[in-house]
Amino acid sequence: MIAFASKHNLSGKLSVPGSKSHTIRAVLIAAMAKGLSTIKNPLPSQDCLSATRAARAFGSDVKIEKGVWTIKSSPEGLKIPDDVIDCGNSGTTFYFATAISGTLSDYVVLTGDYQIRRRPVVKLLEAMRELGAFAVTTRSDSDAAPVIVKGPMRAGTIVFDGKMSQYISGMLLASARLEGKTRIEVQKAIERPYLQMTVDWMCKHGIEVKYDEKNYSFFEVEGPQNYKPVDTAIPSDWESVAFPLVAALVTDSELVIEDLDLSGSQGDAVIIDILKEMGGNVTLNRSSNSLKAVGGTKLRGITIDCSDIPDALPILSVAACYAEGDTVLTGIESIRVKETDRVEVMKRELSKMGASIEDTDHQMIIHGGKKLTGAKVQSHDDHRVAMSLSVAGLFSEGVTEVSNAECVSVSFPGFFELMNSVGAGFQTK
């Protein structure tokens, strides 16, 4: 599918769907819990549906209805999958399910789409081997899926450099099922809000976790502990809020975004503070769990540390193109090994539209305030890239064509339709 974007202003109200990160954790922990869990307001995106496939592979009965998913785990506990677990495009599902597979006593094979089959996994497999698992890639010359895992792991101490929070979260989830104390040491934790999210979900399901609440330098879990089933609701997704929010600020718009998650459980909520620092007119209303964004004012370049909010880099780079002066995005190392090298991809595609961008191993520098012109750009099958480039088209001269735009369904199904309900004027074919 090709999405066409041109200059449009936004007006009205909208609500974004539930959180992908929360939904995947809810699904996979429910598969490990003994009994029936109910998940309200789940995100029915492709990544989250990949998590339900993994839950089914582990023996859970999963029922998907509009607005409510139920997951009833197998009475015998996690089962050995009778087929390969296909994690689709979901890195979170792949890393979490790989670690969980290390608690089982027979072989499990896990893979994903072509992007997952390029994303690094060896450091996770090395940690699993240190705890006694058999864990290898199927290709000796590749640091990526498919992988073969056989446990069970034993409790012990492992060390991660902290560059990939999904490795740490996956091993945390698995550690509750191991006999004895598992200690995970982290040399320099980034993406810390995601680590906290994992701990919070484990605690919600009755697991006791001891950890460094300030720096996330270590986690300890004494096992085995049983995950308890819960009845829970998924909060709205701040990663998705970022797209209409930035779209409103870079156009002459007035937009209200409702049903926000103001619990502090998602690190990407800091996008409000970042955009305010850039000069954005954003007003948060805690009494109504909503915000109002008014565009038409100039933004200014600032320095932004993306180490805890890696998924925000694509849309922040678009805001930076609109802003006057230089914006410097730091803490970008882990962002290069997401669905794509998002630093390189956003630099390449925005440059086609006239942006001036430089990058090093450690930072991305956007020389903002330059006029953008519509161009034919590629999503690289990356949902956040597709949405970000579409937003860029809303303040660019002419028409921007975004290829393979259907990939937005990975995290934000109905993105184009929802944005069009407030005047975005996107066309697709």
Side-chain angles (χ1 to χ4, degrees):
M1 180 177 81
I2 299 175
F4 299 86
S6 58
K7 276 192 171 183
H8 280 79
N9 299 321
L10 311 181
S11 179
K13 299 179 180 181
L14 58 75
S15 298
V16 302
S19 163
K20 177 167 76 82
S21 299
H22 278 289
T23 300
I24 292 174
R25 285 164 173 78
V27 167
L28 293 178
I29 293 178
M32 293 188 286
K34 293 187 177 180
L36 178 69
S37 291
T38 301
I39 304 170
K40 300 183 180 71
N41 194 41
L43 176 65
S45 71
Q46 292 301 315
D47 274 12
C48 297
L49 293 173
S50 292
T52 65
R53 287 199 303 271
R56 287 191 177 102
F58 286 131
S60 292
D61 179 17
V62 180
K63 292 184 178 179
I64 296 177
E65 299 175 322
K66 186 175 182 179
V68 181
W69 294 356
T70 57
I71 299 179
K72 185 177 182 181
S73 60
S74 168
E76 295 82 26
L78 288 186
K79 290 186 173 182
I80 305 296
D82 60 10
D83 198 357
V84 173
I85 299 180
D86 182 356
C87 299
N89 188 250
S90 177
T92 302
T93 299
F94 172 63
Y95 294 129
F96 288 9
T98 295
I100 292 168
S101 296
T103 67
L104 301 176
S105 60
D106 216 333
Y107 291 97
V108 182
V109 181
L110 304 99
T111 191
D113 71 3
Y114 78 97
Q115 290 179 333
I116 293 297
R117 297 194 301 273
R118 294 188 314 211
R119 294 180 68 172
V121 70
V122 163
K123 293 295 183 182
L124 174 59
L125 301 182
E126 288 175 351
M128 295 173 66
R129 289 197 293 268
E130 287 180 24
L131 298 185
F134 175 85
V136 298
T137 63
T138 62
R139 298 171 290 169
S140 59
D141 62 344
S142 174
D143 179 14
V147 300
I148 302 174
V149 174
K150 181 181 183 296
M153 296 183 289
R154 59 180 181 272
T157 298
I158 52 177
V159 179
F160 286 111
D161 60 19
K163 293 179 180 179
M164 292 284 285
S165 67
Q166 292 161 321
Y167 296 172
I168 302 166
S169 286
M171 292 301 286
L172 263 174
L173 296 177
S175 65
R177 293 173 47 82
L178 306 182
E179 181 78 38
K181 180 189 290 185
T182 298
R183 179 179 172 89
I184 301 173
E185 297 180 354
V186 185
Q187 293 172 343
K188 185 181 179 181
I190 63 173
E191 303 180 342
R192 291 170 292 181
Y194 295 101
L195 298 175
Q196 185 63 53
M197 186 186 296
T198 300
V199 170
D200 290 344
W201 273 100
M202 293 176 72
C203 293
K204 184 193 293 279
H205 282 265
I207 304 301
E208 181 180 350
V209 183
K210 296 179 181 179
Y211 66 107
D212 174 1
E213 298 182 27
K214 181 179 180 181
N215 298 313
Y216 300 88
S217 62
F218 76 88
F219 301 83
E220 288 184 350
V221 178
E222 187 77 41
Q225 298 182 53
N226 293 323
Y227 285 101
K228 299 174 182 177
V230 300
D231 185 341
T232 191
I234 301 299
S236 57
D237 193 351
W238 273 101
E239 295 170 358
S240 295
V241 168
F243 300 102
L245 174 54
V246 169
L249 294 179
V250 299
T251 56
D252 188 11
S253 300
E254 186 171 313
L255 182 68
V256 175
I257 304 177
E258 300 179 308
D259 301 319
L260 298 176
D261 170 26
L262 301 181
S263 68
S265 67
Q266 299 180 62
D268 285 82
V270 76
I271 189 76
I272 289 182
D273 297 327
I274 291 170
L275 292 171
K276 281 185 173 182
E277 186 180 348
M278 295 180 77
N281 185 350
V282 184
T283 304
L284 185 64
N285 188 332
R286 292 189 174 275
S287 64
S288 63
N289 290 342
S290 66
L291 65 80
K292 183 178 181 180
V294 179
T297 59
K298 286 291 184 182
L299 301 183
R300 60 179 175 271
I302 61 173
T303 297
I304 305 168
D305 183 357
C306 295
S307 58
D308 283 341
I309 52 168
D311 289 336
L313 179 136
I315 193 62
L316 285 175
S317 66
V318 171
C321 287
Y322 177 81
E324 296 289 339
D326 291 350
T327 297
V328 181
L329 305 181
T330 65
I332 65 173
E333 293 85 353
S334 70
I335 303 170
R336 292 187 179 277
V337 291
K338 295 294 183 180
E339 283 82 340
T340 59
D341 178 346
R342 285 176 170 159
V343 176
E344 173 60 30
V345 164
M346 291 306 298
K347 173 186 174 182
R348 183 188 314 167
E349 301 307 323
L350 288 172
S351 294
K352 294 177 183 177
M353 301 174 71
S356 177
I357 301 174
E358 303 174 63
D359 69 299
T360 68
D361 289 342
H362 305 293
Q363 61 184 18
M364 182 180 188
I365 307 101
I366 300 99
H367 306 293
K370 301 184 184 301
K371 182 179 178 180
L372 297 190
T373 302
K376 292 183 179 181
V377 293
Q378 299 178 27
S379 70
H380 298 263
D381 292 321
D382 187 320
H383 50 120
R384 302 199 192 281
V385 171
M387 290 184 281
S388 298
L389 293 173
S390 299
V391 170
L394 294 177
F395 67 95
S396 301
E397 296 295 333
V399 177
T400 298
E401 299 182 21
V402 184
S403 69
N404 299 109
E406 67 276 6
C407 64
V408 301
S409 65
V410 165
S411 65
F412 201 151
F415 168 76
F416 294 110
E417 294 82 359
L418 184 63
M419 291 293 289
N420 283 347
S421 73
V422 292
F426 293 131
Q427 297 182 20
T428 58
K429 74 170 187 179

